[in-house]
Amino acid sequence: MRLLFNLPHMLRLKATMQSWEAQVTGADQTRMVKHADALGYDMVAVPEHFIIPSEHVGLSGPHYFHSTVAQAYLAGATERILLNSCITLLPLQNPIVLAKALATADWLSSGRTMVTFGVGWIEREFDLLGVPFRERGRIADEYLAAIVELWTAESPRFQGKYISFDDVEFEPKPVQKPHLPIWIGGDADAALRRAAKYATGWWSFLTPPEKIAERVAFIKSQPGYDGRDFDVVHGLGTNRVGEGHAVQDDPHVRPGMSAAEIVDKLGWLTEQGVTVSAVPLPLLSGVEEYLDYSQWLIEEVKTQLP
């Protein structure tokens, strides 16, 4: 089991955020991610939205980064930790520009960049950016195929409804081969079929933890899955965030668990097929307490994980 480092103030969700996190600055985040890197956390993941309609701010908050920009910055501040997203909104971005940005980040980070793609869910965000919301799944599938072509083909060519190119060159290619890891976020059958075809990992959100094994079996039963190694992400406390970022109780976990309780919960998730997880914060007062808690997790929890 690998551990995600929850970097405070990546977003401000009502369901999960503590009040002190809103005061965390970029300088604080830089110090915290360096700390996580030195301690041995495996991954940091950056959420993404471009613009939040006012009617969603109460639950979702207004504060989000451009995931690829943040990943590249955090890579420059660290030496070994992996930089992922959770999630990168694929249909809302030009796939050539996005492929270039991610390949650049992977090249400059010496192969530490990953990406988790999703199709998005806020319809008005799509309207504001001029992208047809009802076509987002088809757009994502086409963009994914085009991005992989740019990353892997010596002379890329692609012909589609939403993007086409021919007689072009594309460098730098990603350092990681055949390309940087692609994971897929989402819980619908379409997302899981996309994961089976293109990805080496799935990031679950609304799937209850007791259903994860069943959904992983669904992924691996699809024609696009070829037996490759496959990661599954489910953070302890993920299901405190419901549909539309609604606040909901999660009977499986509570913040502030003992080390033995956390190890037991993570062991059970491992049995369900989960390979990457995160631990919800207990009630804390600020950055210094969080740094202490993150060290405690490594010393008392990660050392006991298989």
Side-chain angles (χ1 to χ4, degrees):
M1 176 70 74
R2 287 172 288 166
L3 283 185
L4 278 159
F5 181 76
N6 288 319
L7 190 56
H9 208 191
M10 290 279 194
L11 72 177
R12 298 205 291 265
L13 288 187
K14 184 177 180 180
T16 59
M17 189 175 177
Q18 298 182 25
S19 59
W20 62 270
E21 295 180 57
Q23 280 69 57
V24 168
T25 66
D28 292 330
Q29 290 175 326
T30 303
R31 182 161 68 100
M32 286 189 280
V33 78
K34 287 177 178 287
H35 182 76
D37 191 41
L39 284 174
Y41 279 85
D42 299 290
M43 186 182 300
V44 173
V46 183
E48 176 175 271
H49 277 289
F50 296 107
I51 192 162
I52 300 294
S54 296
E55 62 269 23
H56 288 283
V57 169
L59 293 175
S60 299
H63 180 92
Y64 292 87
F65 295 133
H66 186 296
S67 61
T68 310
V69 173
Q71 287 172 257
Y73 173 81
L74 295 171
T78 55
E79 295 182 359
R80 48 153 300 279
I81 200 166
L82 298 177
L83 294 310
N84 202 345
S85 61
C86 66
I87 58 173
T88 295
L89 295 172
L90 181 56
L92 292 176
Q93 305 184 61
N94 182 289
I96 297 173
V97 176
L98 182 57
K100 176 66 72 173
L102 286 164
T104 300
D106 193 59
W107 197 86
L108 289 171
S109 68
S110 300
R112 290 191 291 127
T113 302
M114 308 170 61
V115 64
T116 302
F117 286 130
V119 300
W121 63 276
I122 300 178
E123 185 168 358
R124 190 159 170 247
E125 185 175 19
F126 280 73
D127 294 342
L128 290 165
L129 289 167
V131 177
F133 181 74
R134 302 299 172 190
E135 298 177 40
R136 69 194 188 283
R138 293 189 293 275
I139 294 171
D141 287 335
E142 190 170 297
Y143 282 8
L144 257 173
I147 287 171
V148 170
E149 174 73 6
L150 289 166
W151 282 345
T152 58
E154 187 172 328
S155 297
R157 60 174 59 192
F158 189 85
Q159 184 67 42
K161 177 181 178 181
Y162 304 102
I163 186 72
S164 298
F165 47 81
D166 198 357
D167 297 321
V168 298
E169 302 293 328
F170 182 93
E171 289 189 18
K173 303 294 188 187
V175 171
Q176 300 175 82
K177 301 303 178 189
H179 50 71
L180 60 91
I182 295 171
W183 292 0
I184 297 296
D187 303 274
D189 286 356
L192 273 56
R193 285 191 289 268
R194 195 170 293 121
K197 184 174 182 179
Y198 290 104
T200 56
W202 168 51
W203 198 307
S204 66
F205 290 104
L206 299 176
T207 299
E210 64 272 15
K211 296 287 187 181
I212 287 175
E214 175 184 320
R215 300 302 275 160
V216 173
F218 176 83
I219 292 171
K220 294 183 176 182
S221 72
Q222 298 304 301
Y225 178 70
D226 58 6
R228 60 193 175 275
D229 290 341
F230 199 85
D231 281 304
V232 178
V233 188
H234 188 88
L236 291 176
T238 292
N239 295 109
R240 293 161 63 195
V241 184
E243 190 86 43
H245 291 165
V247 181
Q248 64 179 23
D249 291 330
D250 183 354
H252 300 278
V253 69
R254 57 177 174 78
M257 293 180 291
S258 69
E261 289 174 311
I262 295 170
V263 169
D264 182 65
K265 295 287 187 183
L266 292 175
W268 181 81
L269 283 179
T270 299
E271 293 172 0
Q272 312 315 305
V274 175
T275 61
V276 183
S277 192
V279 179
L281 300 184
L283 187 62
L284 302 173
S285 64
V287 172
E288 299 306 324
E289 278 196 8
Y290 181 57
L291 292 176
D292 289 343
Y293 183 70
S294 63
Q295 182 168 344
W296 177 84
L297 282 174
I298 292 294
E299 293 174 351
E300 302 296 330
V301 173
K302 193 176 183 188
T303 55
Q304 300 185 56
L305 298 178

